[in-house]
Amino acid sequence: MRWNQRAVVAGVAALLLTAAACGSSSESDEETTSGGAAASTSSGGGFSVDSSASAAPATGDVLTRNPETDGKTINVLMVANPQMTDLQSLTAENFTAKTGITVNYTVLPENDMRAKADIEFKNQAGQYDVATLSNFEIPIWSQNGWLADLTEYSTNDAAFNQGDIFPAMTSSLSMDGKIYGEPFYGESSFLMYRTDVFEKAGVTLPDAPTWDEVAAAAEKVDGAESGMKGICLRGLPGWGQLGAPLTTVINTFGGAWFDADWNALLTDPKTVEAVNFYTTLVKEHGEVSPSQAGFTECLNNMLQSKVAMWYDATSAAGSLEADDSPVKGKVGYVQAPVKDTKSSGWLYTWSWAMEEASQNKDAAWQFISWASSAQYEQLVGEKLGWAKVPSGKRASLYSNPDYTAAAEAFAPATLTALQNADPQNPGLQPRPTVGIQFVDIPEFTSLGDEVTASLSQVLAGNGTVEDALAKAQESAQKVGDDYK
C-alpha cells in the first residue's frame, strides 16, 4: 500500500469508526414510543433523542448584517434534490435581505454536481465558495487540503449550537478533531410502499422485511393500477446512484466489494447472487427505463403512482408527505430489506463544505450557519410545511411537536434506520475500511462509476451480470492491489 493511501484509509477509518460507535445502540438507553411519534427517548448514542428535554430555541432571528460581509456575493454548488431547491427559493427573502450577502446557486443533477465539484476543489479554482459534499468526500478531501476548517467558525457561533447536531454526523464530517462539513440533512435508507395499493391487493409487509418478501410483494402489486410497476430501484450509472442501493443489497446477501485483505469479491458467489437478484427484480417488476432512473426519477415515479414501492433514502419521505404531494398519507415506511444481516440501511449526509481557496470565507460561513440551523428548519416548517424540513441532523427537531406530528408516518422509521446503520460492519465479513453503500477510498468514485455503468447496461438489456462482474473484478483487484 502506498503510504499516502494508507494514511487516508487509516484516518477515515478512525473517524468513521468513531461515528459508528456513536451511532450504535446503547443497552442503557431506554427506548419508548408513544403513538408512533418520534418525540420519545430513542437509543443510539450518535442519534439520541430525548423528548423530556426542551428543543433548542428555533425562534428569533440569528441573521445580522456584518460590515465585513454586507454586499458580498458567494457562489454555491449544490445537488438538485428537493431540499436544496427549497433552500434556493427561500434565500433571497430570508437570507440575503437580512445579511446583504447575495448567493449565486449552481444546481446540477447528482452525477454532474459530483464531477464539477471534484474538478473545482482539486484545482482550488476558488470559483465556488461552498458545495454540497458528503461523508464520503469530506474525510478524504480534508486530508488533501481542499476544504476549509470550520471548527473556529462553529465554536464562535453560539447561535449555531453545534451540540445540537447528532454526534455521529459531526464525527463523520470531521478529521483530526477539526470540523470540515456541516450537515444540511442526514439519511439512512428504507422501503416506502403504497399502503392503499397493498391493502386493496391483500398484501402486507412487516416492519423489517426480507428481500424475498419484497420481491414477492412486487410481483403481486405489479399492475395493481394502470401503468403501475411493482418497485423502483435506482439503475442510473454512478457510485452514488445505482451503486448506493445495490451495495446495501450486496452487503446483506453476504457479498462485498473487497475482503479485509483487499481481495476483490465482485465475482464471489454471494455478490453475483445479490446483483442477479437486484437486476432480475428490476427487469421483471421494476420501473420503466431503469437505466435512466436515479433518486429523482424514482421519486417522481412514486409521486405519480407509477410504482407501488421504492427502496431509497429516508430523506425522500418529506417530499412524499408534503402538503402538495398526491400520495400524502398513502405511503408506509419500513426498514431496509435484508437477506442474511440484521439491518442493511446506509448512512449518508449531504453537507456544506467550504473550499479552502474561497476568498469569502466569513460570508460563506454565515450561509452555512443559516442553512444548517434550527432556525432554518423552523422557517421551512412555517413556509413550506413541516414534512419538508431537512431532517436527520439536529436532535432538537425530533422534540419539536410541529415536526413530530407532521412526520409521524416516517420519523420513527427514519430514526431506527439511522441508529441501526453500521459503517464498520455492514455485511457478513470484515472489511478493509469503513462504509456501507461505498468503500471509503478515493479510487471508489471512478471504480464505482465504471462498475455501475456496466450493470446499468445489463438493466437496459445489454450483456449479462456475470460478464459485467468479471470485468469489474479485474478493475477492482487493480485498486485492491495498491492497498496491499
Side-chain angles (χ1 to χ4, degrees):
M1 180 190 295
R2 297 192 296 267
W3 73 268
N4 56 331
Q5 289 176 317
R6 190 184 296 276
V8 168
V9 171
V12 170
L15 75 91
L16 286 178
L17 287 174
T18 301
C22 289
S24 300
S25 296
S26 169
E27 293 181 357
S28 62
D29 289 339
E30 180 183 0
E31 182 171 2
T32 59
T33 57
S34 176
S40 60
T41 301
S42 302
S43 62
F47 294 98
S48 293
V49 177
D50 185 355
S51 62
S52 64
S54 298
T59 57
D61 198 343
V62 299
L63 297 175
T64 58
R65 285 185 180 267
N66 180 341
E68 300 295 325
T69 58
D70 193 354
K72 293 279 189 179
T73 296
I74 63 170
N75 295 316
V76 175
L77 174 64
M78 63 183 185
V79 64
N81 285 352
Q83 294 89 339
M84 284 69 170
T85 52
D86 287 343
L87 174 72
Q88 187 177 20
S89 72
L90 293 169
T91 298
E93 181 180 351
N94 299 284
F95 178 75
T96 301
K98 296 175 181 177
T99 63
I101 300 170
T102 299
V103 183
N104 291 329
Y105 289 107
T106 299
V107 187
L108 298 173
E110 182 173 328
N111 286 350
D112 296 338
M113 192 284 299
R114 289 188 190 282
K116 196 174 190 65
D118 184 67
I119 294 172
E120 165 73 18
F121 280 69
K122 182 181 297 180
N123 294 328
Q124 289 293 291
Q127 179 180 354
Y128 292 99
D129 302 286
V130 177
T132 48
L133 302 179
S134 75
N135 51 322
F136 171 82
E137 293 98 349
I138 286 176
I140 298 171
W141 291 17
S142 64
Q143 290 211 330
N144 293 342
W146 299 351
L147 307 181
D149 179 4
L150 304 181
T151 311
E152 185 173 346
Y153 283 113
S154 173
T155 301
N156 295 334
D157 187 347
F160 181 69
N161 192 6
Q162 184 73 44
D164 188 36
I165 303 290
F166 287 128
M169 287 296 174
T170 297
S171 295
S172 72
L173 301 173
S174 301
M175 177 62 76
D176 296 332
K178 298 178 180 177
I179 298 172
Y180 289 95
E182 294 292 357
F184 184 44
Y185 62 84
E187 65 183 31
S188 183
S189 54
F190 59 14
L191 184 75
M192 299 157 272
Y193 69 100
R194 283 285 297 274
T195 54
D196 56 333
V197 172
F198 271 58
E199 182 177 356
K200 189 175 181 179
V203 180
T204 60
L205 282 176
D207 290 339
T210 66
W211 272 114
D212 290 336
E213 290 170 328
V214 171
E219 181 178 3
K220 291 179 181 177
V221 298
D222 190 353
E225 294 184 359
S226 177
M228 176 178 279
K229 302 298 292 183
I231 191 168
C232 200
L233 295 171
R234 299 186 198 181
L236 186 68
W239 71 265
Q241 289 284 1
L242 168 59
L246 176 61
T247 298
T248 68
V249 175
I250 291 173
N251 291 338
T252 196
F253 270 67
W257 286 78
F258 296 98
D259 68 14
D261 297 319
W262 288 106
N263 296 307
L265 293 179
L266 292 177
T267 53
D268 179 90
K270 293 293 187 181
T271 304
V272 176
E273 179 188 4
V275 178
N276 267 315
F277 172 86
Y278 189 102
T279 54
T280 299
L281 179 56
V282 173
K283 284 182 176 180
E284 292 184 349
H285 304 296
E287 71 275 15
V288 175
S289 302
S291 62
Q292 301 173 31
F295 173 86
T296 301
E297 291 75 17
C298 281
L299 172 60
N300 290 334
N301 282 335
M302 196 72 179
L303 288 169
Q304 297 168 13
S305 296
K306 294 181 178 178
V307 294
M309 286 187 289
W310 178 26
Y311 168 59
D312 214 295
T314 56
S315 58
S319 296
L320 299 178
E321 300 298 336
D323 291 340
D324 59 353
S325 167
V327 297
K328 179 181 180 180
K330 299 178 180 179
V331 181
Y333 304 88
V334 295
Q335 295 304 297
V338 296
K339 181 73 170 180
D340 294 326
T341 59
K342 292 183 179 179
S343 63
S344 68
W346 68 58
L347 181 64
Y348 195 77
T349 170
W350 277 116
S351 306
W352 305 110
M354 190 189 305
E355 187 173 335
E356 176 60 31
S358 169
Q359 299 300 305
N360 302 295
K361 287 188 172 67
D362 289 347
W365 172 256
Q366 279 184 266
F367 167 78
I368 292 172
S369 175
W370 172 68
S372 289
S373 68
Q375 287 74 22
Y376 178 75
E377 293 175 344
Q378 184 81 22
L379 176 67
V380 173
E382 294 173 352
K383 296 283 188 179
L384 306 178
W386 282 98
K388 300 189 75 172
V389 170
S391 59
K393 65 178 184 296
R394 287 187 173 274
S396 59
L397 182 66
Y398 294 87
S399 295
N400 184 317
D402 292 323
Y403 177 73
T404 55
E408 182 177 358
F410 62 86
T414 296
L415 271 178
T416 298
L418 287 168
Q419 291 163 352
N420 288 338
D422 187 353
Q424 179 186 2
N425 189 28
L428 297 181
Q429 67 284 100
R431 307 299 171 92
T433 185
V434 292
I436 298 175
Q437 76 277 31
F438 51 72
V439 181
D440 215 331
I441 54 175
E443 296 85 351
F444 187 70
T445 53
S446 58
L447 175 62
D449 286 351
E450 175 189 336
V451 174
T452 55
S454 296
L455 293 174
S456 183
Q457 281 299 304
V458 174
L459 290 173
N462 302 316
T464 67
V465 166
E466 286 74 12
D467 287 345
L469 290 180
K471 182 180 177 182
Q473 174 77 9
E474 294 180 9
S475 298
Q477 194 55 63
K478 289 179 181 176
V479 172
D481 288 343
D482 281 341
Y483 283 89
K484 288 187 173 180

